[in-house]
């Protein structure tokens, strides 16, 4: 059981690390929001699954399950509210600027 917990713990750390890389690499608030929300959700849920496996069938694992379901319901709503607030605040999505040479080659 402890080995499976460590696998889920490492998976959680990997998702959190990739989310942080996405926050640094992506150009605007919308893509950064996507990276942070997806990786936070997968990281937390893999940690919760590992903790439920480590605890076994007990009242603590039921509590962890309820917290995970709550997080699954509220995380997309919070991401949507942040994205909508940014859009209504006038922050435009990032667009790739093409060089004049690239445009003339496409024709």
């Amino acid at each position: 059981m402890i080995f499976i917990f460590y696998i889920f713990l490492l998976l959680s750390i990997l998702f959190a690390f990739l989310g942080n890389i996405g926050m640094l690499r992506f150009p605007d608030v919308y893509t950064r929001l996507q990276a942070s929300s997806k990786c936070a959700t997968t990281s937390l849920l893999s940690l919760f699954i590992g903790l439920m496996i480590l605890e076994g069938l007990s009242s603590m694992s039921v509590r962890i399950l309820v917290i995970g379901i709550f997080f699954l319901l509220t995380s997309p709503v919070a991401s949507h509210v942040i994205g909508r607030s940014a859009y209504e605040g006038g922050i435009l999505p990032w667009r790739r600027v093409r060089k004049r040479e690239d445009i003339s080659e496409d024709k």
Side-chain angles (χ1 to χ4, degrees):
M1 289 294 207
I2 194 89
F3 180 72
I4 297 172
F5 167 72
Y6 283 133
I7 289 173
F8 278 104
L9 180 66
L10 290 175
L11 190 65
S12 174
I13 292 170
L14 176 71
F15 283 132
F17 180 72
L18 291 175
N20 287 326
I21 289 175
M23 288 291 293
L24 295 174
R25 298 274 305 165
F26 288 146
D28 68 342
V29 68
Y30 304 107
T31 53
R32 288 178 181 172
L33 182 64
Q34 186 267 338
S36 66
S37 65
K38 297 293 182 199
C39 290
T41 302
T42 54
S43 175
L44 192 69
L45 288 180
S46 61
L47 178 66
F48 283 173
I49 291 170
L51 286 173
M52 286 191 297
I53 290 172
L54 185 65
E55 277 296 314
L57 188 58
S58 67
S59 65
M60 183 59 73
S61 61
V62 173
R63 291 177 188 168
I64 293 171
L65 179 66
V66 169
I67 293 170
I69 291 170
F70 177 75
F71 189 76
L72 274 176
L73 293 174
T74 58
S75 179
V77 174
S79 298
H80 175 75
V81 167
I82 293 170
R84 185 170 176 112
S85 173
Y87 184 75
E88 289 177 354
I91 299 175
L92 297 175
W94 176 77
R95 301 258 188 238
R96 172 182 271 167
V97 178
R98 298 180 66 181
K99 295 179 184 175
R100 186 172 290 276
E101 302 91 43
D102 294 339
I103 295 171
S104 63
E105 290 175 4
D106 288 343
K107 292 182 180 179

